[in-house]
Amino acid sequence: MIEDRLICTKYADLHLHTDFSDGTFSPERVVIEANRLGFAAIAITDHDILDGIEPALSAGNQYGVEVVPGVELSAESDGEEIHILGFYMDWRDRQFQQKLQEFRESRRIRAMRIVDKLNQLGIDIEYDDVLKRADSISIGRPHVATALVEKGHVATASEAFYRFLGDSGPAYVAKQKLTPTEAIMMILDVGGIPVLAHPGMLQQNIVPELASSGLMGLEAFHPYHTIELSDYYCDLAEQYNLLVTGGSDCHGLAKGKMVMGSVRLPYEHVDAMKKARKAILRREREIGSTTNYTSCHELN
Ligand code: AMP
Ligand code: FE
Ligand code: FE
Ligand code: ZN
């Protein structure tokens, strides 16, 4: 019996982007690659868009891969960008969809401002080069980077970020961001599980503060994290009674090579999330629509 518990045969990747945001794979291709790599479960976590979920779910049915609905929201604290992942939220909720639509509209306007800045720097690039599919996707700096590569202004997307688009680059334009607490509340309000993405990328230790604002999990496993850092975040999660998640943050081939497969999260963490989700639903039923989600993480 003990041996059964020690040998993990099922793995998940809970951080994946599709071409509905800044990934290069369609949702179906993401599922196919995950299946090829032997993943039992994946989460689709596009930036500010949910349209990849439905096609991934049907591809998941076809290929026998469990698909967890997810999203990645951008927040800011002390001038630092903080990403909050949401899992198992009611992604069909109209108000939630509407809010994300507003974020995407502001991303589109921001992309135009980036193009203006590039033009002022003497770079020959037009809105249409960047905004081709902007109506149906969540546009971000990687799309501008791709256009710069296609037009021959830079050799790689990394060079585009390094020379122009990075946070201190000459064509940088900030995007509309929530506070981390607002992002957490947005996810909780639609019955989802808010998780701090790639905490190892942050300068500040914001975990204690966010744990008391309703955060329910930490992305302990991420390609950016060393083994030591992952261990540290697993311990921190235990300390604050938070769930542990992990994923490759794969953007298809957008960053040169495919990183899916580089992080394998034992499936027991997916089970733990599902248990937490059930507790939320139970609590919702018990106390009706006036749920105070801020204390939901205590239910883990
Ligand atoms: P945005 O949400 O438009 O600000 O774009 C941020 C996205 O750009 C991140 O989610 C990454 O996918 C990507 N990104 C950030 N830095 C780099 C970089 N140095 N090279 C390539 N892609 C990057
Ligand atoms: Fe991204
Ligand atoms: Fe992120
Ligand atoms: Zn991501």
Side-chain angles (χ1 to χ4, degrees), residues 24-237:
T24 62
F25 293 163
S26 67
E28 187 186 26
R29 173 89 188 272
V30 170
V31 170
I32 290 170
E33 295 295 340
N35 187 39
R36 190 177 59 79
L37 290 163
F39 283 105
I42 59 165
I44 300 294
T45 55
D46 276 318
H47 303 280
D48 299 339
I49 193 161
L50 307 163
D51 297 31
I53 295 173
E54 183 106 63
L57 281 169
S58 43
N61 270 336
Q62 196 182 334
Y63 291 95
V65 177
E66 182 180 342
V67 173
V68 176
V71 71
E72 185 170 22
L73 302 180
S74 301
E76 190 179 286
S77 172
D78 285 338
E80 195 173 27
E81 188 154 335
I82 313 255
H83 287 178
I84 302 291
L85 294 164
F87 297 107
Y88 291 111
M89 66 280 156
D90 178 7
W91 54 279
R92 291 189 176 90
D93 183 274
R94 279 293 180 86
Q95 269 182 312
F96 189 64
Q97 291 263 4
Q98 177 59 35
K99 196 80 198 143
L100 296 187
Q101 173 72 42
E102 285 166 26
F103 293 164
R104 295 199 294 277
E105 177 57 17
S106 106
R107 278 174 169 276
R108 203 176 67 84
I109 292 163
R110 170 203 188 214
M112 292 164 100
R113 290 179 56 206
I114 294 176
V115 168
D116 283 344
K117 278 201 170 184
L118 287 166
N119 290 160
Q120 280 158 29
L121 291 163
I123 307 290
D124 176 26
I125 184 171
E126 289 170 34
Y127 297 142
D128 280 356
D129 299 324
V130 177
L131 303 179
K132 276 173 247 166
R133 294 174 57 211
D135 288 343
S136 53
I137 68 161
S138 175
I139 200 124
R141 282 179 286 170
H143 300 99
V144 185
T146 302
L148 287 170
V149 174
E150 280 169 4
K151 299 279 275 182
H153 296 297
V154 289
T156 61
S158 310
E159 187 189 338
F161 270 86
Y162 176 69
R163 285 181 53 200
F164 302 110
L165 307 172
D167 294 8
S168 44
Y172 177 74
V173 178
K175 68 173 179 254
Q176 182 191 334
K177 292 186 207 92
L178 302 160
T179 65
T181 303
E182 284 170 341
I184 288 168
M185 291 311 292
M186 254 187 85
I187 304 292
L188 291 175
D189 279 346
V190 282
I193 297 173
V195 171
L196 178 62
H198 38 69
M201 284 185 180
L202 302 176
Q203 303 297 318
Q204 56 192 309
N205 180 12
I206 198 168
V207 174
E209 184 190 325
L210 296 190
S212 58
S213 300
L215 188 77
M216 292 177 67
L218 272 189
E219 188 180 47
F221 301 98
H222 186 275
Y224 187 84
H225 296 177
T226 58
I227 293 171
E228 292 75 20
L229 209 52
S230 295
D231 279 349
Y232 168 75
Y233 286 115
C234 285
D235 288 347
L236 205 62

Side-chain angles (χ1 to χ4, degrees), residues 207 211 216-220 230-245 268-269 297 300:
V207 174
M216 292 177 67
L218 272 189
E219 188 180 47
S230 295
D231 279 349
Y232 168 75
Y233 286 115
C234 285
D235 288 347
L236 205 62
E238 202 177 329
Q239 191 184 334
Y240 286 93
N241 195 21
L242 298 168
L243 296 158
V244 163
T245 78
E268 64 194 49
H269 295 292
H297 69 286
N300 296 343

Side-chain angles (χ1 to χ4, degrees), residues 12-16 219 221-223 245-250 262-263 265:
D13 184 334
L14 300 182
H15 192 155
L16 295 166
E219 188 180 47
F221 301 98
H222 186 275
T245 78
S248 65
D249 206 354
C250 181
S262 64
V263 171
L265 181 77

